[in-house]
Amino acid sequence: MFGCHVSTRGGFGRAARRAWDMGAKSFQYFPKNPRSLAIKELDAAAAADCFHFCREKGMPSIAHSPYPVNIALGDTRGSELYHTTVASLKNDLAIAEACGSVGIVVHFGHLKSSDPLQGYKNIIQCLNETLAGWQGKTKILLENQAGQPGSMGITLEELVYVRNLADEPQKIAFCLDTCHAYASGTWDPGQTDQWLERGCELGYWKELAAVHLNDSKYPLGSGKDRHARVGEGCIGTEALIGLISLPEFAGKPVVLETEPGSDGTHRDEIEYLFRSMKDKMN
């Protein structure tokens, strides 16, 4: 289900059609201004248009929370920012639910603190408050981060433990970013089997809901979050296609977050992925 991130210019239904027209079988979008936590009023007609088009085409979607969201902060920068963050996440969930999306992608964020556990406590508290009373099907999708070893949110263990410690873990799933996993040193393509086995032991793969398929401009363990087009980075096509062709990834929306091609779209990269997957299967 290869797809890409698309603009919502013209409405959510237009975003879905924009993705479909370039050959995508899934897509990602921002439910509101990606640089603001301001609440966006739901355009019910546009969301319903997206919902029905995607259902007709069998095309799943995921939403991505705005860049300022930092759930590790808690109220360390004031209760107003914390409550604004929770309200923003609730708003994203409501919009994504109306569009029929699998979930909203959320990063752990960062916190500088003398207590190494405080950030995790803040994350769990924020998740609990955001999901309290939530009755929709759309989930929060925790995404792994690209930081150096010792940073928050990079290992499968952290992601799983945070989910398990939340009040309602059934409302939380995971989104795996391949560039982040590689850049953080969590996933070494030469040791994929061991990584998969550890994920199985933890129960990570059964809660995997989506994938960000990105190559990496920097080497394994660099800690640098710089995406490259598939086959143009340090991971390479063979390793990426080999990973997502595994049973653990079957049926998941696989979304590109890379630079568009010369035509301003991801059409050529999506076609390349489908050809590469076909070659892998033959």
Side-chain angles (χ1 to χ4, degrees), residues 85-240:
T85 298
V86 170
S88 177
L89 290 170
K90 287 177 177 283
N91 184 220
D92 292 343
L93 280 169
I95 293 172
E97 175 78 6
C99 289
S101 301
V102 173
I104 62 166
V105 177
V106 179
H107 300 176
F108 270 32
H110 304 277
L111 175 69
K112 292 182 179 180
S113 172
S114 58
D115 179 0
L117 294 180
Q118 188 60 53
Y120 298 104
K121 295 175 184 175
N122 293 343
I123 289 168
I124 294 167
Q125 178 184 351
C126 186
L127 292 173
N128 288 344
E129 189 163 344
T130 298
L131 293 169
W134 174 245
Q135 299 299 316
K137 295 180 180 179
T138 299
K139 297 184 178 185
I140 284 182
L141 309 183
L142 295 176
E143 178 181 355
N144 57 306
Q145 299 186 160
Q148 297 280 5
S151 300
M152 293 182 67
I154 68 171
T155 67
L156 302 184
E157 285 83 356
E158 292 172 88
L159 294 156
V160 170
Y161 295 158
V162 163
R163 178 182 181 273
N164 289 347
L165 288 169
D167 288 343
E168 299 179 280
Q170 74 278 7
K171 299 179 182 180
I172 302 170
F174 304 118
C175 176
L176 175 75
D177 188 301
T178 56
C179 170
H180 297 178
Y182 180 82
S184 69
T186 302
W187 170 46
D188 178 347
Q191 300 180 15
T192 295
D193 288 347
Q194 296 94 312
W195 185 56
L196 289 174
E197 183 177 351
R198 180 56 178 154
C200 276
E201 293 171 354
L202 291 166
Y204 176 87
W205 303 116
K206 68 179 183 179
E207 302 300 339
L208 181 68
V211 179
H212 286 164
L213 187 67
N214 303 306
D215 211 323
S216 174
K217 290 187 177 182
Y218 289 94
L220 176 70
S222 66
K224 295 182 178 181
D225 181 6
R226 292 292 303 278
H227 300 172
R229 287 165 64 86
V230 173
E232 297 180 9
C234 295
I235 304 175
T237 302
E238 183 178 354
L240 288 169

Side-chain angles (χ1 to χ4, degrees), residues 2-5 22-24 178 212-216 227-233 237 240-241 244 254-263 265-277:
F2 296 125
C4 59
H5 186 98
M22 71 177 78
T178 56
H212 286 164
L213 187 67
N214 303 306
D215 211 323
S216 174
H227 300 172
R229 287 165 64 86
V230 173
E232 297 180 9
T237 302
L240 288 169
I241 293 296
I244 60 174
V254 177
V255 175
L256 296 165
E257 293 182 310
T258 54
E259 297 174 359
S262 58
D263 66 348
T265 78
H266 288 84
R267 183 186 303 277
D268 62 339
E269 195 173 6
I270 291 170
E271 290 176 351
Y272 176 67
L273 286 171
F274 279 115
R275 287 198 308 272
S276 299
M277 182 65 86

